Amino acid sequence: MGQVKKKKKKKHGCLWTIFWILFLVILAEAAAGAVVYRKRLQEEVVKHLTPKVPYQEMNVKEEDVKEKYYYEQLAKEEKTVYKEVVQGIKELSPEIYIHSSDARRTNEIYECVLRDNPDIFWCDGTAKTTLYDGKEKYTVLEPVYSCTAEEKEIRQAEIEEEAEVCLSGIDEETSDYDKILYVFEYIVNMVEYDALAEDNQNIYSVFAHKRSVCAGYSKATQYLLEKLGVFCTYVTGTVRSGESHAWNLVICEGDYYYVDTTWGDPVFLSSQEAIANGYVSYDYMCCDDSELLKTHMPDADLKLPECTNMDYNYYVINGLYYEEYDRERVLKEMNHTISAKQNPSVFKFADAESYTKAHSEIFGKLIDKAAQNLAKQYDLGQVKYTYMDDPELNKIVIYWQYE
């Protein structure tokens, strides 16, 4: 029998499967491409339709701010915010656009700017801060200005003229201590404390009106010392009464000290006799932490250095500071003041124990001996004196009457 040959069947199923897979892949890629294209198109539309944030052109240079105390404490990106705030304020911009997504922190940096720059007198210290959360997050700061651009120029000239008069009385080559003391006494003697004074939160109140409060006193101290090349910054906090207060941190001959020009003013003394005699308090003329913290408390958010040195404290420099009670030295000081027909006799003690012992003996016997010397030297039938007794500051001040 002949063999019947069977035809082999061609296998088409595998080829069709591959074809459909490739077809689906092409469709998927096309669809994905359309999605990507559509997404890019949307981004371009949003980009062109979204208004550009009008940031200021930056003209503030690093050398203009690099030695500012609070500026140096900021992170790198916060320093950019600081410069933008300075730039806007100097231009009196009603709205300052800032590269920041944290409105609260922006406001804190604004406060740093005002602490570092006492010459910015045209801001009243308040501002509105708004965060805009869109394609790009940014903050708008709206400071409140106390004068117009034209008024600012006029006031600036007044301040500079008065500052020049002040600084004409001090040699720029003198010591840090003498510069600080000079500015301290100049402001205390020139300015009257007045809670109702105009512009009392800035230096214009001091130089133009000669009336201010602690903010004006402290910023004027900072302004003048910076002109003399002495480091000085602005410190805020509270005092023993719980009231807000401001004072200064300085560097004197390489060490940090606190200075409170406001509390040098006689208006803060309780004794009317002392005020009448023009007494100036030097308790906060270069003092350390231990002295300051008896009556002052810096704000908790401030980063301040330790102040542990008393070498350039006013009382130490002038031989009026007693590490311990010395009976003979105290009597000698009273008699020396009387012989020179001066006032007052001041005794500042390092601690409460020395003060307590001194108080007991001075008002027990020593002051009577000094009074007898007063009567004998000036032929007085009756001896009169007034005194201030401050156990909080461990200090005794005696005023002698020579007539």
Side-chain angles (χ1 to χ4, degrees), residues 177-207:
Y177 174 81
D178 287 333
K179 290 176 181 177
I180 296 167
L181 178 62
Y182 177 84
V183 169
F184 181 94
E185 292 182 330
Y186 184 90
I187 292 176
V188 167
N189 293 322
M190 178 182 71
V191 183
E192 182 176 345
Y193 189 91
D194 183 358
L196 301 178
E198 294 181 43
D199 305 298
N200 62 25
Q201 295 301 301
N202 63 67
I203 62 174
Y204 186 67
S205 61
V206 170
F207 294 110

Side-chain angles (χ1 to χ4, degrees), residues 60 65 68-71 74 78-90 96 98 105-123 125 141 143 219 222 226 233-234:
V60 177
V65 295
K68 298 293 186 180
Y69 184 75
Y70 295 102
Y71 173 78
L74 301 176
E78 292 178 331
K79 288 182 177 180
T80 298
V81 172
Y82 182 104
K83 292 176 185 177
E84 289 178 324
V85 172
V86 172
Q87 181 74 39
I89 288 175
K90 291 195 172 182
I96 305 173
I98 296 169
R105 185 58 180 156
T106 297
N107 199 58
E108 291 172 350
I109 294 172
Y110 168 63
E111 292 177 1
C112 289
V113 168
L114 297 183
R115 290 193 192 104
D116 276 341
N117 298 274
D119 54 318
I120 297 177
F121 61 86
W122 56 93
C123 282
L141 180 73
K219 289 180 180 180
Q222 182 183 7
E226 285 183 346
T233 197
Y234 185 76

Side-chain angles (χ1 to χ4, degrees), residues 77-341:
E77 61 277 8
E78 292 178 331
K79 288 182 177 180
T80 298
V81 172
Y82 182 104
K83 292 176 185 177
E84 289 178 324
V85 172
V86 172
Q87 181 74 39
I89 288 175
K90 291 195 172 182
E91 295 175 354
L92 274 77
S93 301
E95 295 181 335
I96 305 173
Y97 290 80
I98 296 169
H99 290 85
S100 172
S101 59
D102 187 339
R104 180 191 61 80
R105 185 58 180 156
T106 297
N107 199 58
E108 291 172 350
I109 294 172
Y110 168 63
E111 292 177 1
C112 289
V113 168
L114 297 183
R115 290 193 192 104
D116 276 341
N117 298 274
D119 54 318
I120 297 177
F121 61 86
W122 56 93
C123 282
D124 76 354
T126 62
K128 176 183 176 183
T129 312
T130 307
L131 173 65
Y132 289 87
D133 188 1
K135 181 65 179 177
E136 178 183 1
K137 289 185 178 181
Y138 62 94
T139 300
V140 175
L141 180 73
E142 300 176 63
V144 176
Y145 300 116
S146 57
C147 60
T148 65
E150 293 75 17
E151 290 170 334
K152 170 182 170 292
E153 295 302 318
I154 295 171
R155 294 183 181 189
Q156 183 73 58
E158 291 181 71
I159 291 169
E160 290 177 357
E161 182 179 359
E162 186 62 37
E164 186 177 347
V165 171
C166 165
L167 298 180
S168 65
I170 182 75
D171 185 352
E172 290 187 7
E173 301 303 316
T174 194
S175 68
D176 290 347
Y177 174 81
D178 287 333
K179 290 176 181 177
I180 296 167
L181 178 62
Y182 177 84
V183 169
F184 181 94
E185 292 182 330
Y186 184 90
I187 292 176
V188 167
N189 293 322
M190 178 182 71
V191 183
E192 182 176 345
Y193 189 91
D194 183 358
L196 301 178
E198 294 181 43
D199 305 298
N200 62 25
Q201 295 301 301
N202 63 67
I203 62 174
Y204 186 67
S205 61
V206 170
F207 294 110
H209 306 313
K210 308 297 189 296
R211 308 174 79 85
S212 193
V213 296
C214 60
Y217 277 70
S218 302
K219 289 180 180 180
T221 300
Q222 182 183 7
Y223 178 75
L224 292 172
L225 287 178
E226 285 183 346
K227 281 185 170 292
L228 288 172
V230 176
F231 168 84
C232 180
T233 197
Y234 185 76
V235 180
T236 54
T238 56
V239 292
R240 54 195 169 196
S241 63
E243 293 177 300
S244 297
H245 190 52
W247 58 95
N248 298 104
L249 173 73
V250 302
I251 293 180
C252 181
E253 310 303 340
D255 289 307
Y256 285 106
Y257 294 88
Y258 285 110
V259 171
D260 188 343
T261 315
T262 313
W263 277 28
D265 198 308
V267 73
F268 287 96
L269 302 175
S270 59
S271 171
Q272 292 300 318
E273 293 82 4
I275 293 174
N277 282 283
Y279 174 70
V280 175
S281 173
Y282 293 94
D283 292 281
Y284 305 97
M285 171 52 210
C286 290
C287 70
D288 64 4
D289 286 331
S290 62
E291 287 295 313
L292 180 86
L293 295 177
K294 291 175 182 176
T295 52
H296 296 52
M297 181 57 63
D299 287 332
D301 63 334
L302 298 185
K303 296 178 182 178
L304 299 169
E306 289 187 353
C307 297
T308 58
N309 202 319
M310 284 284 282
D311 289 351
Y312 283 93
N313 173 261
Y314 175 86
Y315 295 117
V316 173
I317 290 290
N318 289 279
L320 306 174
Y321 189 77
Y322 296 75
E323 295 284 352
E324 57 184 12
Y325 173 64
D326 183 333
R327 184 177 184 278
E328 296 304 319
R329 181 182 166 193
V330 167
L331 180 58
K332 182 179 179 180
E333 173 59 31
M334 286 193 284
N335 285 332
H336 173 75
T337 303
I338 290 169
S339 296
K341 204 173 184 179

